[in-house]
Amino acid sequence: MNFDLEGKRALVTGSSSGIGAGIAGTLAAEGVSVVVHGRNAERAVAVAERIRSEGGQAATAVGDLATEDGADGVAHAAVEAFGGIDILVNNAGGTSETGTQSWFALPVSEWGVTYQRNVLSAGYLIHALVPAMKENGWGRVIQIASAAGIIPTSGQPDYGPSKAAMINMSMGLSKALAGTGVTVNTVMPGMIMTDGLRDFLRIFAQRRGWGEDLDRAAEYVLKGTGQTVHRIGQVSDVAYAVAVLASPKAEFFNGMNLHIDGGATGSIY
């Protein structure tokens, strides 16, 4: 399918690895000039070089989006790279660096750190880049949330609620931009095979005496997810969804929260 994305310009935050890198590569393959972002310059450059080696157009913008100054610097570098940004993919995020997943062991002060990394970072870039999209009469804002945003767990007082906030803000922003030609949608991944998931499966397998049998660990974990598609999601599944929403052909898709979770989410919306 031709997504009609040739000549568009995108900033994909958190694209120096994982899901973000997959999104950047998929958009570039569709003719989008992509700005690869990360906090590690070496990794961001490696992703951009790989895109260029495959015939795509890519530049880099390095910085911490958790502060307004850092986000403004990234936005400025992205605009300078290709003369503007038409597609903003807010993929960067994460949790505080304590490694604690507990309602009572994780200090409440750390909840704000997670919220800042997921929600405020997206807000800073929306403020920096969306006004120009409005002026041009066309743009796409795509937020990468998580199934944790609508499926609360017992051990995430910070991460899940911050992703729920992203889903909520996307809907509100889509209404604020009504009639401007700029659409806002959320992609909500479930269990996706990233390096982080591989590490989890490896530890899971070792603790059960299965050695390095990640397939056995994945099979066991899948049974508890409620998925109706019986496989682990791939980065390409998320990247394809982003490409669809970024397309000019998707102008009637607005305010959506698209579940990319193999049918695991037990809710209608």
Side-chain angles (χ1 to χ4, degrees):
M1 178 178 178
N2 182 0
F3 291 110
D4 291 340
L5 284 167
E6 190 75 34
K8 299 298 186 185
R9 303 157 298 181
L11 167 61
V12 183
T13 68
S15 51
S16 59
S17 64
I19 289 174
I23 293 170
T26 296
L27 290 178
E30 294 295 328
V32 179
S33 297
V34 176
V35 179
V36 176
H37 160 263
R39 288 184 292 176
N40 182 297
E42 185 177 349
R43 289 193 301 178
V45 168
V47 173
E49 287 181 346
R50 182 167 67 247
I51 288 172
R52 288 193 289 266
S53 72
E54 294 170 354
Q57 297 291 320
T60 59
V62 178
D64 186 355
L65 301 178
T67 68
E68 188 168 8
D69 286 345
D72 283 345
V74 169
H76 178 76
V79 170
E80 286 290 304
F82 297 115
I85 293 296
D86 309 297
I87 302 162
L88 170 61
V89 182
N90 280 318
N91 169 73
T95 63
S96 70
E97 296 178 0
T98 64
T100 302
Q101 291 192 346
S102 166
W103 264 86
F104 298 103
L106 182 68
V108 173
S109 60
E110 291 295 317
W111 299 8
V113 174
T114 301
Y115 191 89
Q116 189 167 25
R117 290 183 174 178
N118 291 290
V119 182
L120 299 190
S121 63
Y124 292 144
L125 290 175
I126 288 166
H127 272 228
L129 298 172
V130 170
M133 296 181 191
K134 288 175 60 179
E135 186 175 339
N136 292 335
W138 195 93
R140 298 286 184 264
V141 179
I142 302 168
Q143 315 259 66
I144 308 301
S146 166
I150 63 172
I151 306 176
T153 71
S154 62
Q156 292 183 317
D158 56 338
Y159 182 73
S162 73
K163 290 299 187 179
M166 289 187 74
I167 295 167
N168 187 289
M169 71 187 284
S170 295
M171 173 68 81
L173 182 59
S174 72
K175 295 178 179 180
L177 294 170
T180 65
V182 182
T183 64
V184 187
N185 293 288
T186 304
V187 171
M188 192 187 76
M191 189 163 56
I192 304 298
M193 187 60 79
T194 61
D195 289 342
L197 181 58
R198 286 188 187 91
D199 290 341
F200 167 79
L201 292 174
R202 186 172 291 107
I203 293 170
F204 191 92
Q206 291 170 351
R207 286 178 176 175
R208 283 157 180 77
W210 300 340
E212 294 291 317
D213 193 346
L214 302 192
D215 289 339
R216 185 175 180 182
E219 181 73 16
Y220 186 92
V221 170
L222 274 172
K223 291 178 181 178
T225 65
Q227 283 188 201
T228 52
V229 177
H230 199 71
R231 67 168 173 84
I232 301 279
Q234 299 299 314
V235 168
S236 58
D237 294 319
V238 181
Y240 178 77
V242 171
V244 170
L245 293 174
S247 171
K249 295 179 178 179
E251 64 179 358
F252 208 58
F253 299 169
N254 203 15
M256 292 172 48
N257 177 23
L258 188 59
H259 301 193
I260 308 298
D261 61 2
T265 305
S267 66
I268 295 172
Y269 185 72

